Amino acid sequence: MVCMSRPLIRLVGQGVRYASRLRGGGSAFPGLVMEKFHPGFVAEALATLPRGVVVVSGTNGKTTTTKMVVQLLESQGLKVFTNRTGSNFVRGVAAALLGEMSLTGKLDADIAVLELDEAHAVHFVKMVKPDYALLLNVLRDQLDRFGEIDTTRRMLSTVAAATTGTVVLNREDPRIHRIADDVATGTNIEYFGLSPKLRAMFPSDDEMRSGVTASEQNLPEAKVALADFAGTCSTFDIEGEEVIGEVNLYGVYNIFNAAAAMALTLEVMGADANRSALIAELAKIAPAFGRGETLNVEGQTLQLLLVKNPSGFRLSLASADAKDYATMIAINDAYADGRDVSWLWDVDFHSLENGGVDMVTGVRAYDMALRLEHDDVTVAHIDENLESALATFIKNSAGKPMRIFCTYTAMLALRKELAKITDVEEIS
Amino acid sequence: MTQARKSLKILQLYPQDMNIYGDWGNTLSLSRRAQAHGFETEIVDYNPGDTFPEDADIIVGGGGQDSGQTIIQDDLLALGNTLKAQAEAGTPMLVICGLYQLFGKEFRTIGGENLKGIGIFDLHTVGGEERLIGNIVEESEEFGTIVGYENHSGLTYLGENVKPLAHVTKGEGNNTEDSGEGARVHNVVGSYLHGSLLPKNPRISDFLIEKAVLNKYGEFTPATLDDSVIERARASAMERPR
């Protein structure tokens, strides 16, 4: 095997990818094969791209933001390579490359936009120096994996330090904002942000209990700031000019991340940017799977809302009035969800008081029910089994739109179950 | 039944800088439990630079990032004698993770820095390379089975004048050498367990409430409470892998 030529190794990798897809296997496995036999493969393939490599990272909203960046860059006429499988590890990138390359090994793209998990981004930048990095936020998430928020911040800082062109930072997140100090000399720094009016809607984890809003003094100029929004109509301040755009994504944090995606796109395009095409494309972006995606079940809408940390859960709750919806909450604690369920205690559930929760499910259903009890939220049913809970929930919610707040593995299991009764987009 | 008019003041130590892993859950749960036993409750925050309210009936403190620990360090040391006198006088206290460490004598960080603690517990902590992370179950003579989640890199070693809170049956606890977890002295409970600790371990809440009520009113008649959801949450937590 060690004597195989590189194109041959790639073809083997592409064969493994094809075979494992037939088998319905994991999306990163062929990447693992490449990692073993040709460790420089990803770096070499990406080095051929004329517009370079964009890395998107942060604790919240990576998948949806990456999707936005890809579509916005495509609206500017670029061919974009991305790791849309959601396998955001280095080997996931390798697997995605194998899928996109022609059999002669050519990658037909202008630029790569890669969603990378914080820890894997650190490994990735050792091999590939990104031209651009978009760093979204550091929220209390996955503390059971990384130990401390400060550790996560350091990982993102390493990514910023390795970036050669421009680092786009969230002005409103003090941990991200401070990363500006770690950027290499010669690398540009740009920011996305919020208007003072909206700032109070996005309390940081530090402000969560204190009620004190971060000092607004000395904030740097934002390339794109979300100025205001009402429903799907949003106002952005783009390089000092007020622009109104439509964002059809659920949740205020997604609208905020649209500002992030636009800032990055404008930075990549520079003088070639076509702003009207950008705004037109913005309205066409649909949510990524499980991130506010809406399904149709027996004539009613059912919305899946991925929740994985206190800020995300709080903002999801704030995005609609609970009394208008039937509500289910599904909490698992597998590795991908986070083994530690302590974070549920950092979410304020009082907004569900009016209307209550119709079903609580998942491995940690009783932890969730106990949490709700502490905020005086009534719980109609508790059923640890996801399948039967979903069936009961749908049956009892006749006539009302449904919302399901779910952790990652619960979301995957529920989608699988829902695919039996309605159209659910396949995650390839 | 005049108990309904009686009230307890719960003091949160440093909620701004030392609250992580749902430390709020401990305060909330304690307050709700006290209400269920028939008491009005008042929650008071104490942050660095505030005037310290010396009339608190129960004191609760949480964990923090290393950076949070550095911020509160000097303020806590200045408060040390006051808190120590209150602990010796029998004020019930619960300290988790970061404040548990600083209620000991000393914390030697991995960077070689020596953080002085206030010495309510005869123990010291040494920063470790490895994080002890995972679901944890432990047995205590006073409180029965205690369940929670640990996530710390500090290794804590108890001196002669303090007992562990419990002995670990699943997980690591204070350090990687003995089975002890947490510490107990006077009416003070220290522990590495979050999760949050109190919602799923109501016997500890009841202990803190009983001691506070006895200190203040001289007698305590507990209410009979329905703990069925708590029991189910405990059962599922105990079955979870590390």
Side-chain angles (χ1 to χ4, degrees), chain A residues 143 147 333 340 342 367 374, chain B residues 19 21 29 151 194 200 240:
Chain A
L143 290 179
D333 68 350
D340 187 0
S342 310
D367 273 86
H374 276 75
Chain B
N19 88 79
Y21 306 125
S29 193
N151 182 351
H194 51 267
K200 283 206 291 286
R240 300 306 296 150

Side-chain angles (χ1 to χ4, degrees), chain A residues 178-239:
Chain A
R178 281 202 303 270
I179 287 177
D181 301 338
D182 308 327
V183 170
T185 321
T187 300
N188 296 325
I189 302 170
E190 292 290 347
Y191 296 91
F192 65 98
L194 295 165
S195 64
K197 181 187 168 188
L198 295 185
R199 204 163 280 142
M201 284 191 70
F202 294 78
S204 74
D205 283 320
D206 299 330
E207 294 153 11
M208 188 164 59
R209 292 252 67 86
S210 64
V212 182
T213 313
S215 161
E216 289 165 15
Q217 286 166 355
N218 303 323
L219 285 180
E221 191 88 352
K223 191 174 184 80
V224 179
L226 175 61
D228 204 359
F229 68 93
T232 60
C233 179
S234 304
T235 312
F236 296 94
D237 178 346
I238 301 180
E239 293 167 329

Side-chain angles (χ1 to χ4, degrees), chain A residues 378-401:
Chain A
T378 54
V379 174
H381 297 279
I382 307 171
D383 178 357
E384 285 168 308
N385 183 289
L386 287 166
E387 288 76 24
S388 55
L390 179 66
T392 311
F393 174 62
I394 291 172
K395 190 170 82 153
N396 292 348
S397 327
K400 243 185 174 185

Side-chain angles (χ1 to χ4, degrees), chain A residues 342 345 370, chain B residues 21-27 29 94-96 136 138 143 145-149 165 181 189-205 208 230 234:
Chain A
S342 310
W345 292 91
L370 186 59
Chain B
Y21 306 125
D23 284 321
W24 165 245
N26 287 328
T27 308
S29 193
L94 172 73
V95 280
I96 304 292
I136 178 168
E138 56 193 39
F143 305 115
T145 305
I146 300 174
V147 56
Y149 198 94
L165 166 67
E181 194 287 311
V189 177
S191 174
Y192 273 119
L193 270 62
H194 51 267
S196 303
L197 177 69
L198 293 184
K200 283 206 291 286
N201 297 283
R203 284 180 68 177
I204 302 177
S205 299
L208 298 167
I230 299 176
R234 282 169 62 82

